[in-house]
Structure formats: C-alpha cells, structure tokens
C-alpha cells in the first residue's frame, strides 16, 4: 500500500473525508444589545440613501445601503477596526461587498477612525450599490467578534480570530429623495 493510500485510510478512521459542519451563528434581534468582545453592538436599522454631504457615488444612479448601529468598545483600548464589526449579505450589486465603503458617525456625518472604550457611538456602515440592480427590502447583517489572545508569531497579546458572533435580518427603509 502506498503512503498516500495509507494516509487516506487512516484519515477515514477519524472522519477526515467527512464535510466539516460550520457551527450555526446565533440570532440577534433588531434594537437589542448584542454583547461581546471587543465591542457591543446594537443594530438599529437599515437604510437606502442617495447622495450624502461630502461623499460621492461612483455613478449618479447608485445609492448607499446603510446599516445603522450603536457600537461601544468593550476592550480597554481604543479601536480602529470598525470595518470588521459588521458585514451584510443578501444585497446584489454592491461595488465592494467585502467591507463597508465608508463608516460615518451619525450625529455629525464625519468619518470614524477610532472609537474609545465605554463611549457608545451611533454609526452608519455604508456600502455603495449599483443603481442597475433591484432595490433591496432587507439584508442579512452579521456581527463579528475577536478573541484577546497571545499572538504566536509576535508573542504579544492581540485581538485576533475574527469570526461571526450573531446574525439578524434587517428591513431596509428607502430614504432616497423622490
């Protein structure tokens, strides 16, 4: 028996060829606090908006799909990884589907670079959507978490292992000007 065949046979004893099932992501609820590390998140809504002051769309026919959420840093230090807090799915035609194009502080529409611990801030996570696709009425929002652990390469404590913490379906309110 060849080494490859032996390895294949041995892996079969331990379920090596079975498909690994991903654990189910717990549900979250709109307008309810989702506690975790390194941030707490309360998703308060979804919006479809057109032009925003200071932000230009790649095409005049496009619009922004927004997740509005209150975020509070629970880590002891300020965070600059806001693009990793939430993600959306179920929306076609996003120009950059992997992460938000922009993140703004809702109270004054300024871009957010850092959030400080213990100071909740209402944010709008924005994705540009092509105007040539159907307007979405809802989206799936995933809230992420990280684990504070020893980085085996740098030998220092870091926030690592970004993974989904909760998911919810969010209705999208069309707030584009008619």
């Amino acid at each position: 028996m060849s080494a490859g065949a032996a390895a294949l046979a041995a892996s079969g004893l331990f379920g090596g060829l079975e498909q690994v099932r991903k654990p189910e992501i717990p549900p979250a609820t709109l307008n309810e606090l989702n506690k975790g590390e390194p941030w707490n998140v309360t998703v308060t809504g979804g919006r479809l908006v057109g032009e925003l002051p200071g932000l230009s769309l790649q095409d005049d026919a496009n619009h922004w799909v927004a997740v509005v959420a209150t975020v509070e840093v629970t880590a002891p230090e300020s965070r600059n990884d806001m693009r990793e807090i939430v993600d959306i799915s179920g929306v076609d035609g996003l120009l950059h589907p992997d992460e938000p194009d922009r993140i703004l502080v809702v109270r004054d529409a300024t871009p957010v670079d850092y959030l400080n611990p213990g100071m909740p801030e209402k944010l709008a996570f924005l994705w540009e959507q092509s105007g040539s696709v159907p307007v979405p009425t809802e989206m799936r929002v995933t809230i992420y978490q990280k684990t504070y652990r020893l980085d085996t390469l740098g030998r220092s404590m870091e926030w690592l292992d970004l993974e989904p913490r909760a998911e919810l379906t969010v209705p999208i309110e069309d707030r584009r000007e008619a």
Side-chain angles (χ1 to χ4, degrees):
M1 180 182 325
S2 72
L8 183 63
S11 72
L13 293 174
F14 302 102
L17 296 179
E18 291 180 23
Q19 202 170 30
V20 177
R21 292 185 186 173
K22 292 182 181 179
E24 193 170 309
I25 300 170
T29 304
L30 192 66
N31 296 312
E32 283 190 12
L33 177 64
N34 184 273
K35 291 185 176 186
E37 296 291 334
W39 42 68
N40 290 333
V41 179
T42 304
V43 176
T44 58
R47 311 276 189 276
L48 198 63
V49 294
E51 283 292 323
L52 292 170
L55 294 182
S56 57
L57 295 161
Q58 288 187 16
D59 185 298
D60 289 340
N62 294 354
H63 44 262
W64 299 104
V65 175
V67 172
V68 180
T70 300
V71 176
E72 178 184 7
V73 172
T74 57
E77 70 281 338
S78 297
R79 311 287 313 156
N80 69 344
D81 52 2
M82 273 55 66
R83 292 185 183 278
E84 297 177 342
I85 296 173
V86 297
D87 193 13
I88 63 173
S89 58
V91 178
D92 294 328
L94 298 178
L95 301 189
H96 304 102
D98 294 333
E99 65 179 29
D101 292 296
R102 302 277 193 281
I103 304 170
L104 303 177
V105 177
V106 171
R107 66 182 151 79
D108 60 8
T110 58
V112 63
D113 293 321
Y114 280 88
L115 290 179
N116 297 308
M119 298 179 70
E121 196 68 71
K122 193 169 191 176
L123 305 177
F125 298 83
L126 303 167
W127 285 262
E128 187 172 350
Q129 184 187 35
S130 171
S132 65
V133 297
V135 172
T137 57
E138 66 180 20
M139 63 186 146
R140 193 87 179 138
V141 176
T142 304
I143 301 170
Y144 285 85
Q145 67 184 3
K146 290 183 178 182
T147 303
Y148 192 64
R149 68 168 179 81
L150 181 66
D151 177 10
T152 56
L153 295 176
R155 309 301 292 165
S156 61
M157 295 298 287
E158 302 284 336
W159 287 100
L160 303 167
D161 308 325
L162 184 69
E163 62 184 10
R165 172 169 93 204
E167 283 187 332
L168 65 155
T169 300
V170 177
I172 299 175
E173 184 181 337
D174 192 345
R175 291 206 177 165
R176 296 173 297 169
E177 294 178 342

